[in-house]
């Protein structure tokens, strides 16, 4: 054997290091142990969840906060299928996630011989929800395959990528590749298109900007553009905090009538990095989002530009490149109008649309934000999160995200918050989860303890699936199956060694949060909708 050659597992670790991977999430098993060879000597940190779905959600939260791909190592069969839900959430929300799994030996693939963890066609199954799914049949192809994976995640619309490595390939030795980070190539609009859009901006009297999750990395340029053309900026759930506190910010859902009125009145709508999907733009499925004859839509994905509202001018570009080019084309021009006043009216009217209960919940979110400056709130599908998705101004970009959009997976927030805390350990991370959703991934508080993750688990306890129960009642359906019993969350947390308390009054929340932040590592606070004073209007 040639000197200096390494196993596929060892080389994989080297390639991950070269691409600035700092942490991987996974549960080792006999089908992946060879991928762990060399990991202990690497600076890459390994975080062990209690379930592979947790690994995927941790990778998702890490990616959203760090801006880098989240990486998972999982076994073949059940380990990979357990990760599918997290991959689907990442696909819907355009989150870069690299899932590396084992698979049985090459000679067994497709034969159905009853091998441990065998699936009929694992790669074929994963290809339905991954941007790329590849089986590494030749060990020497590893560098090229990994380069393709990072290029796909970095150059186009992000999402999950899957690579499976047969167990007999993992231990093979290959020549050391030239190690380098994969260079992403992000598209830009042609000069003619940029000039056209700039002319449309100059001619507009009432422009509006719609900013989605794809615009988060372009914060500075987007603020400059909005100020230059005097445009209110409506932020979707994944873009909240993009213009935190700015007078042009409209941190309210385009599913609300007042926000739709603002958009419908615009003589130019610029949509940046937003899927324009139902969970943001038509939450109540009433079909009332206005027609946009004056829509300029910027997206990194050509296929996405062909979906949803038809744009008068579709622009294939990353948001960063498009905004940079457009600001340069406009130069130092500043168009003064009624943008700030229009934004203020939209904010006020949007808030007044909300029911008293929702306004109360938004007030609690604002209390968290103001008590913990720079905090990140990671939400599950629970009523307070739905309220924030309707109206809430996060204190910073990447400071508000949840699973109540897109795929809508319950149990997302407890592990995703761990990933967020690992990505940014200096920032307070609050996991806002309901009593029902928390039980989907309750054991991950043990993972938070092991990882020393600074996560405050804020449990919004309303004795079951209250959102679904209310929907049933509103539609004349006798509620059934919406009252799963919950454990004593305080005792559960204490059993894991976490400090925990149940609030008697929401007024005590700021001090409870400050106390939790002073504690290094995870902690838990419970608000009970009926038993905590001030939890409802």
């Amino acid at each position: 054997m040639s000197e200096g050659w390494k196993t596929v597992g060892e080389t994989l670790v080297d390639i991950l290091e070269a691409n600035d991977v700092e942490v991987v999430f996974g549960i080792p098993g006999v089908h992946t142990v060879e991928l762990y060879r060399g990991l202990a000597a690497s600076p890459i940190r390994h975080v062990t969840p209690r379930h592979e779905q947790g690994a995927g959600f941790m990778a998702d939260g890490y990616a959203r906060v760090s801006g880098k791909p989240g990486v998972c190592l999982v076994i073949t069969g059940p380990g990979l299928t357990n990760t599918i839900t997290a991959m689907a959430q990442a696909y819907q929300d355009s989150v870069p996630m690299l899932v590396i799994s084992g698979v049985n030996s090459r000679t067994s693939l497709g034969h159905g011989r009853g091998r441990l963890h065998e699936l009929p066609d694992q790669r074929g199954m994963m290809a339905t929800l991954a941007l790329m799914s590849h089986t590494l049949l030749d060990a020497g192809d590893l560098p090229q395959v990994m380069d393709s994976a990072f290029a796909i995640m970095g150059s186009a619309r992000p999402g999950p990528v899957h690579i499976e490595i047969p167990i007999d390939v993992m231990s093979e030795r290959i020549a050391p590749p030239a190690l380098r980070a994969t260079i992403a190539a992000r598209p830009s609009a042609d000069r003619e298109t940029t000039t056209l859009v700039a002319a449309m901006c100059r001619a507009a009297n009432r422009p509006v900007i719609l900013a989605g999750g794809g615009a988060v990395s372009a914060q500075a340029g987007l603020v400059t553009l909005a100020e230059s053309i005097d445009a209110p900026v409506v932020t979707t759930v994944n873009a909240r905090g993009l213009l935190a506190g700015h007078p042009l910010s409209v941190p309210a859902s385009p599913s609300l009538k007042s926000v739709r009125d603002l958009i419908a009145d615009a003589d130019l709508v610029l949509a940046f990095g937003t899927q324009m999907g139902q969970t943001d733009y038509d939450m109540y499925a009433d079909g009332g989002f206005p027609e946009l004859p004056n829509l300029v839509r910027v997206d990194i994905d050509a296929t996405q530009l062909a979906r949803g509202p038809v744009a008068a001018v579709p622009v294939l570009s990353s948001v960063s490149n498009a905004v940079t080019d457009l600001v340069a084309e406009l130069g130092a021009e500043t168009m003064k109008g009624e943008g700030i006043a229009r934004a203020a009216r939209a904010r006020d009217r949007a808030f007044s649309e909300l029911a008293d209960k929702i306004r109360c919940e938004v007030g609690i979110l604002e209390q968290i934000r103001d008590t913990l400056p720079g905090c990140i709130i990671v939400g599950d599908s629970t009523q307070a999160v739905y309220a924030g998705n309707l109206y809430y101004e996060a204190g910073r970009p990447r400071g508000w995200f949840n699973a109540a959009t897109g795929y809508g997976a319950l149990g997302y927030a407890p592990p995703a918050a761990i990933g967020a805390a690992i990505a940014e350990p200096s920032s307070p991370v609050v996991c806002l989860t309901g009593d029902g959703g928390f039980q989907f991934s309750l054991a991950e508080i043990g993972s938070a303890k092991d990882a020393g993750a600074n996560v405050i688990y804020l449990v919004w306890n309303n004795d079951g699936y209250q959102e679904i129960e209310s929907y049933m009642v509103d539609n004349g359906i006798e509620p059934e199956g919406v009252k799963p019993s919950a454990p004593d969350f305080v005792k559960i947390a204490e059993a894991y060694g976490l400090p925990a308390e149940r609030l008697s009054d929401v007024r005590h929340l700021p001090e409870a949060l400050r106390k939790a932040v002073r504690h290094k590592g995870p902690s838990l606070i419970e608000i009970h909708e009926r038993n905590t004073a001030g939890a409802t209007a």
Side-chain angles (χ1 to χ4, degrees), residues 232-259:
V233 180
V234 177
T235 45
T236 67
V237 170
N238 287 328
R240 294 290 173 79
L242 200 57
L243 279 84
H246 196 286
L248 288 171
S249 176
V250 182
S253 172
S255 295
L256 294 171
K257 181 182 181 303
S258 52
V259 180

CSV table of all heavy atoms in Angstrom, one decimal, residues 232-259:
chain,number,residue,atom,x,y,z
A,232,PRO,N,-41.0,50.6,1.9
A,232,PRO,CA,-41.3,49.7,3.1
A,232,PRO,C,-40.8,48.3,2.8
A,232,PRO,O,-40.9,47.9,1.6
A,232,PRO,CB,-42.8,49.8,3.2
A,232,PRO,CG,-43.2,51.1,2.6
A,232,PRO,CD,-42.2,51.3,1.5
A,233,VAL,N,-40.3,47.6,3.8
A,233,VAL,CA,-39.8,46.3,3.6
A,233,VAL,C,-40.6,45.3,4.4
A,233,VAL,O,-40.6,45.3,5.6
A,233,VAL,CB,-38.3,46.1,4.0
A,233,VAL,CG1,-37.8,44.7,3.7
A,233,VAL,CG2,-37.5,47.1,3.2
A,234,VAL,N,-41.4,44.4,3.7
A,234,VAL,CA,-42.2,43.4,4.4
A,234,VAL,C,-41.3,42.1,4.5
A,234,VAL,O,-40.8,41.6,3.5
A,234,VAL,CB,-43.5,43.1,3.6
A,234,VAL,CG1,-44.2,42.0,4.2
A,234,VAL,CG2,-44.3,44.3,3.4
A,235,THR,N,-41.1,41.7,5.7
A,235,THR,CA,-40.2,40.5,5.9
A,235,THR,C,-41.1,39.3,6.2
A,235,THR,O,-42.0,39.3,7.0
A,235,THR,CB,-39.2,40.8,7.1
A,235,THR,OG1,-39.9,41.3,8.2
A,235,THR,CG2,-38.1,41.7,6.7
A,236,THR,N,-40.7,38.2,5.5
A,236,THR,CA,-41.4,36.9,5.8
A,236,THR,C,-40.8,36.3,7.1
A,236,THR,O,-39.9,36.9,7.7
A,236,THR,CB,-41.2,35.9,4.7
A,236,THR,OG1,-39.8,35.6,4.6
A,236,THR,CG2,-41.7,36.5,3.4
A,237,VAL,N,-41.3,35.2,7.5
A,237,VAL,CA,-40.9,34.6,8.8
A,237,VAL,C,-39.4,34.5,8.9
A,237,VAL,O,-38.7,34.8,9.9
A,237,VAL,CB,-41.6,33.3,9.0
A,237,VAL,CG1,-41.0,32.5,10.2
A,237,VAL,CG2,-43.1,33.5,9.2
A,238,ASN,N,-38.8,33.9,7.8
A,238,ASN,CA,-37.3,33.6,7.9
A,238,ASN,C,-36.5,34.8,7.7
A,238,ASN,O,-35.2,34.7,7.7
A,238,ASN,CB,-37.0,32.5,6.9
A,238,ASN,CG,-37.5,31.1,7.3
A,238,ASN,OD1,-37.5,30.8,8.5
A,238,ASN,ND2,-37.9,30.3,6.3
A,239,ALA,N,-37.1,36.0,7.4
A,239,ALA,CA,-36.3,37.2,7.2
A,239,ALA,C,-36.5,38.2,8.4
A,239,ALA,O,-35.9,39.3,8.3
A,239,ALA,CB,-36.7,37.9,5.9
A,240,ARG,N,-37.3,37.8,9.4
A,240,ARG,CA,-37.6,38.8,10.4
A,240,ARG,C,-36.2,39.2,11.1
A,240,ARG,O,-35.3,38.4,11.3
A,240,ARG,CB,-38.5,38.1,11.5
A,240,ARG,CG,-39.9,37.9,10.9
A,240,ARG,CD,-40.7,39.1,10.7
A,240,ARG,NE,-41.9,38.8,10.1
A,240,ARG,CZ,-43.0,38.3,10.7
A,240,ARG,NH1,-43.0,38.1,12.0
A,240,ARG,NH2,-44.1,38.1,10.0
A,241,GLY,N,-36.2,40.5,11.5
A,241,GLY,CA,-35.0,41.0,12.1
A,241,GLY,C,-34.1,41.6,11.1
A,241,GLY,O,-33.0,42.2,11.4
A,242,LEU,N,-34.4,41.5,9.8
A,242,LEU,CA,-33.5,42.0,8.7
A,242,LEU,C,-33.3,43.5,8.8
A,242,LEU,O,-32.3,44.1,8.5
A,242,LEU,CB,-34.1,41.6,7.4
A,242,LEU,CG,-33.1,41.6,6.2
A,242,LEU,CD1,-31.9,40.7,6.4
A,242,LEU,CD2,-33.8,41.1,4.9
A,243,LEU,N,-34.4,44.2,9.2
A,243,LEU,CA,-34.4,45.7,9.4
A,243,LEU,C,-34.8,46.0,10.8
A,243,LEU,O,-35.7,46.9,11.0
A,243,LEU,CB,-35.3,46.4,8.4
A,243,LEU,CG,-34.7,46.6,7.0
A,243,LEU,CD1,-34.9,45.3,6.1
A,243,LEU,CD2,-35.3,47.8,6.3
A,244,ALA,N,-34.3,45.3,11.8
A,244,ALA,CA,-34.8,45.4,13.1
A,244,ALA,C,-34.8,46.9,13.6
A,244,ALA,O,-33.8,47.6,13.6
A,244,ALA,CB,-33.9,44.6,14.1
A,245,GLY,N,-36.1,47.3,13.9
A,245,GLY,CA,-36.3,48.7,14.4
A,245,GLY,C,-36.2,49.8,13.4
A,245,GLY,O,-36.3,51.0,13.8
A,246,HIS,N,-36.0,49.5,12.1
A,246,HIS,CA,-35.8,50.5,11.1
A,246,HIS,C,-37.2,51.0,10.8
A,246,HIS,O,-38.2,50.3,10.7
A,246,HIS,CB,-35.2,49.9,9.9
A,246,HIS,CG,-34.7,50.9,8.9
A,246,HIS,ND1,-35.6,51.6,8.1
A,246,HIS,CD2,-33.4,51.3,8.5
A,246,HIS,CE1,-34.8,52.4,7.3
A,246,HIS,NE2,-33.6,52.2,7.6
A,247,PRO,N,-37.4,52.3,10.5
A,247,PRO,CA,-38.7,52.9,10.2
A,247,PRO,C,-39.3,52.4,9.0
A,247,PRO,O,-40.5,52.5,8.8
A,247,PRO,CB,-38.4,54.4,10.1
A,247,PRO,CG,-37.0,54.6,9.9
A,247,PRO,CD,-36.3,53.4,10.6
A,248,LEU,N,-38.6,51.8,8.1
A,248,LEU,CA,-39.1,51.2,6.9
A,248,LEU,C,-39.5,49.7,7.0
A,248,LEU,O,-40.1,49.1,6.1
A,248,LEU,CB,-38.1,51.3,5.7
A,248,LEU,CG,-37.9,52.7,5.1
A,248,LEU,CD1,-36.8,52.7,4.1
A,248,LEU,CD2,-39.2,53.2,4.4
A,249,SER,N,-39.3,49.1,8.2
A,249,SER,CA,-39.6,47.7,8.4
A,249,SER,C,-41.0,47.5,8.7
A,249,SER,O,-41.7,48.2,9.4
A,249,SER,CB,-38.8,47.2,9.7
A,249,SER,OG,-39.1,45.9,9.9
A,250,VAL,N,-41.5,46.4,8.0
A,250,VAL,CA,-42.9,46.0,8.3
A,250,VAL,C,-42.8,44.5,8.6
A,250,VAL,O,-42.9,43.6,7.8
A,250,VAL,CB,-43.8,46.2,7.0
A,250,VAL,CG1,-45.3,45.7,7.3
A,250,VAL,CG2,-43.8,47.6,6.6
A,251,PRO,N,-42.6,44.2,9.9
A,251,PRO,CA,-42.4,42.8,10.4
A,251,PRO,C,-43.7,42.1,10.6
A,251,PRO,O,-44.0,41.5,11.6
A,251,PRO,CB,-41.7,43.0,11.7
A,251,PRO,CG,-42.3,44.2,12.2
A,251,PRO,CD,-42.6,45.1,11.1
A,252,ALA,N,-44.6,42.0,9.5
A,252,ALA,CA,-45.9,41.4,9.6
A,252,ALA,C,-46.2,40.6,8.4
A,252,ALA,O,-45.6,40.8,7.3
A,252,ALA,CB,-46.9,42.6,9.7
A,253,SER,N,-47.0,39.6,8.6
A,253,SER,CA,-47.3,38.6,7.6
A,253,SER,C,-48.0,39.2,6.4
A,253,SER,O,-49.0,39.9,6.6
A,253,SER,CB,-48.1,37.4,8.2
A,253,SER,OG,-48.5,36.6,7.2
A,254,PRO,N,-47.6,38.9,5.2
A,254,PRO,CA,-48.4,39.3,4.0
A,254,PRO,C,-49.7,38.5,3.9
A,254,PRO,O,-50.4,38.6,2.8
A,254,PRO,CB,-47.5,39.0,2.8
A,254,PRO,CG,-46.4,38.1,3.3
A,254,PRO,CD,-46.3,38.3,4.8
A,255,SER,N,-50.0,37.7,4.9
A,255,SER,CA,-51.4,37.1,4.9
A,255,SER,C,-52.4,38.0,5.6
A,255,SER,O,-53.6,37.7,5.5
A,255,SER,CB,-51.3,35.7,5.7
A,255,SER,OG,-50.5,34.8,5.1
A,256,LEU,N,-51.9,39.1,6.2
A,256,LEU,CA,-52.8,40.0,6.9
A,256,LEU,C,-53.3,41.0,5.8
A,256,LEU,O,-52.6,41.5,4.9
A,256,LEU,CB,-52.1,40.8,8.0
A,256,LEU,CG,-51.6,39.9,9.2
A,256,LEU,CD1,-50.7,40.7,10.1
A,256,LEU,CD2,-52.8,39.4,9.9
A,257,LYS,N,-54.6,41.5,6.0
A,257,LYS,CA,-55.2,42.4,5.0
A,257,LYS,C,-54.5,43.7,4.9
A,257,LYS,O,-54.3,44.2,3.8
A,257,LYS,CB,-56.7,42.6,5.4
A,257,LYS,CG,-57.4,43.5,4.5
A,257,LYS,CD,-58.8,43.8,4.9
A,257,LYS,CE,-59.5,44.7,3.9
A,257,LYS,NZ,-58.9,46.0,3.6
A,258,SER,N,-54.0,44.3,6.0
A,258,SER,CA,-53.4,45.6,5.9
A,258,SER,C,-52.1,45.5,5.2
A,258,SER,O,-51.7,46.4,4.5
A,258,SER,CB,-53.2,46.1,7.3
A,258,SER,OG,-52.5,45.2,8.1
A,259,VAL,N,-51.3,44.4,5.3
A,259,VAL,CA,-50.1,44.2,4.6
A,259,VAL,C,-50.4,44.0,3.1
A,259,VAL,O,-49.7,44.5,2.3
A,259,VAL,CB,-49.2,43.1,5.2
A,259,VAL,CG1,-47.9,42.9,4.5
A,259,VAL,CG2,-49.0,43.3,6.7
